[in-house]
Amino acid sequence: MLSGQSNGVRSIAYSPNGDRIVSGSWDPTVRVWDVVTEDCLYIFIGHTSYVDSVAYSPQGDVVASRSGDGTIRLWDDMETGACIRRLSGHKGGTDSLAYSLQGDQVVSGDRDMAVRLWNVETGECLQTMTGHTGTVRMVLYSPKGDYIASASNDNTVRLWNVGSGVSRKFSNHHSATVMSLKYSLKRNQVASCSDDSTIRLWDAATGVHICALTGHCDIVYTVSYSPQEDRLVSCSWDETVRLWDVETGACLHVLTGHAGGVIDAEFSPQGHQIASAGNDKTVRLWNADTGECQHILIGHRIELWVVTYSPQGNQVASADGDGTVRLWNVETGACEHVLNGHSKRIQMIVYSPNGNQIASASEDTTVRLWDIKTGECSHIFIGHQDEVTRVVYSPRGHQVASVGYEDKTVRLWDAESGECRYTLTGHEYNIHAIAYSPRGNLIASWSDAGEAMLWDVETGECHWNLHPDGSTRWGDNFIAHPFVWMSPDVASFITGSGDGSVGVWDVTREGDRYRVQMRWRSTNRRLAVKDACVQDVQGLSDLSKRLLKQRGATGEPAVRLREASKKVMNMASVVSKLKPLSSNTEALNLSNLSNLPATSPVTSSTRHAEQQTIPVTDAETFEN
């Protein structure tokens, strides 16, 4: 037993030949021990805070120690035990350390979020590599020494080129709450934005992560596709609005001017303009092509929470924290109506499908319907026991649905009479999002604990209930609305969770009931699969195969498909020559090959040719 340090031991390491052990302690010393005799050979004194990590050089003659005092010290382990180098430059306690294979360099990571590369001989800092947004917990050299890998509390791993200091980030999930989701019908694509300051694009069919759009430096509250679906607009607490090219992922414009966080932004129905609402009490209208600010709409007395265009695009409605809705003329920037009546903050406003009404949901527990032409309140819906955080019109506009956040109910109201048709109960957790299906026959509600329910609009009956899945709750974040239906032709909806995951669910009708199945869901990359092919694996469901592919597995390798293609062509040539020679040989009608099921093997057997079985995938096609 090696004893002698006066406080807890935080790290130990063997020498390369295994005859010594070095230890780092809270006390804060470094000690070198003889493994055979258990004697303490050296006590290295110099650090002024705990020693968090120790390492031997590959040659075994130098010990490196890193400390909470922000320094790395190199000690002579063979002769004097003296400190031969003191490497300083990190602003916080150093959290990670590693030697290069040659022992001529040391890499370190720190709480200052930087990775630093040091020359062992001179003590000079050769490179400072920045990009992480959290403490760097671990650093490693690649076997060839040309790359450095770093892992951070920002939930990412970065791979750094030792020569250039340029990094690649390995992370394809949100690391924090998903704030908003949008679906692109033309691209069959999902866009999500998050509290982690990123926007991510996903293939809606497979769940494959396409790319991450980075540039914002704070919460991204909402993201929206242009009507042409070739661009995205996003807004953030970093006081900017950004315009993105969906195809390339490039940021086309950074729209600056708001003097506070930007809470909401969206394209006009024609796509030529963008409206944004900010914490600075203003609405700004931007030219979507040039990024120029066309109008600054001033009049609200408190921060804005929501802005939306009328279906015709000639008007913008905005709502603020004191319960006021304002209607603005897009061309002139003039305020046409001020809608007063709510006594507390408005959480959401939405135009009716025909643009004649606006519905507003407020923390005063009511929903109000407003006439656009006169600015008068036509209905007040009373019934919720707590703040109303969501309100939506049915696709035909004849019905309005609202959510009581803490009373855990959804209410369906007749837009004409104001009558409450149904009160939908059953949620155990606070409801965070609701949405009508594109055809209007179903409404889905999603709680902030991952609980979901699917309701029949005509009967008020619950057809499906997803119990909480253990995802992280959002707390009282009323802004996030991570739920959207996909398209009129596909009964599927998309959800986002507080743990940063995104998922797609398919709805199918079975008689009088509906069945909901998960198509895919991102899972924070807890499972990574490399160099695995799932095409020929037996016993996997389609969902399991998709999830495995999402984490890195592949379908049939392209090289095997090319080989299979050549075999098919060779087999066809052989069979065509053999047909005239033998009437007993079973004929192979090549023209029918294309009619075979995609999952069936193409098989041929003749007296002169060995049987060939060629697997076919739906993900890739044969090359001639």
Side-chain angles (χ1 to χ4, degrees), residues 289-332:
D289 295 321
T290 66
E292 178 189 0
C293 182
Q294 298 173 321
H295 293 292
I296 303 175
L297 312 181
I298 299 173
H300 285 286
R301 293 172 295 174
I302 200 168
E303 74 275 1
L304 299 179
W305 282 71
V306 61
V307 64
T308 185
Y309 279 94
S310 66
Q312 296 77 19
N314 62 331
Q315 191 179 73
V316 163
S318 57
D320 62 23
D322 67 0
T324 300
V325 179
R326 288 178 177 262
L327 307 183
W328 310 86
N329 184 292
V330 168
E331 290 298 322
T332 65

Side-chain angles (χ1 to χ4, degrees), residues 55-289:
Y56 268 95
S57 66
Q59 295 77 21
D61 58 343
V62 177
V63 168
S65 60
R66 60 180 171 85
S67 168
D69 62 14
T71 68
I72 298 168
R73 290 177 180 258
L74 305 182
W75 311 86
D76 184 342
D77 182 60
M78 299 303 293
E79 297 180 0
T80 66
C83 177
I84 56 179
R85 296 282 182 276
R86 181 177 179 272
L87 314 180
S88 60
H90 284 292
K91 297 177 181 178
T94 309
D95 265 38
S96 49
L97 173 73
Y99 269 100
S100 64
L101 294 184
Q102 294 76 24
D104 60 337
Q105 293 179 342
V106 167
V107 63
S108 60
D110 195 4
R111 296 171 202 166
D112 63 6
M113 302 175 284
V115 177
R116 285 180 165 82
L117 187 63
W118 309 86
N119 183 300
V120 169
E121 187 65 30
T122 65
E124 177 189 3
C125 181
L126 302 175
Q127 283 181 329
T128 300
M129 295 166 274
T130 59
H132 281 299
T133 58
T135 297
V136 180
R137 289 298 185 188
M138 182 174 288
V139 288
L140 292 171
Y141 270 93
S142 66
K144 293 182 179 179
D146 52 348
Y147 283 96
I148 293 168
S150 59
S152 167
N153 280 359
D154 64 8
N155 297 326
T156 68
V157 174
R158 286 180 179 263
L159 192 64
W160 309 84
N161 184 292
V162 172
S164 66
V166 176
S167 73
R168 299 202 309 267
K169 183 170 68 174
F170 292 85
S171 175
N172 66 355
H173 68 281
H174 286 299
S175 58
T177 300
V178 178
M179 299 297 292
S180 178
L181 294 165
K182 291 296 186 299
Y183 174 70
S184 167
L185 176 61
K186 293 179 182 177
R187 296 175 177 272
N188 197 24
Q189 186 182 87
V190 179
S192 59
C193 64
S194 169
D195 203 349
D196 66 6
S197 78
T198 68
I199 299 147
R200 297 185 180 272
L201 304 182
W202 314 80
D203 185 293
T206 64
V208 171
H209 179 259
I210 299 171
C211 67
L213 310 181
T214 58
H216 285 297
C217 57
D218 212 320
I219 301 170
V220 183
Y221 282 108
T222 190
V223 64
S224 182
Y225 283 96
S226 66
Q228 297 77 23
E229 301 182 13
D230 58 342
R231 292 176 296 173
L232 279 169
V233 64
S234 61
C235 63
S236 168
W237 192 250
D238 66 8
E239 304 183 3
T240 68
V241 177
R242 287 179 178 256
L243 192 63
W244 310 86
D245 185 295
V246 175
E247 189 66 34
T248 66
C251 182
L252 303 175
H253 295 290
V254 181
L255 313 181
T256 59
H258 281 290
V262 188
I263 309 297
D264 199 10
E266 69 171 45
F267 279 96
S268 65
Q270 295 77 24
H272 65 275
Q273 193 179 67
I274 293 168
S276 61
N279 199 44
D280 60 1
K281 310 173 191 176
T282 69
V283 175
R284 289 178 179 253
L285 303 183
W286 312 84
N287 184 301
D289 295 321

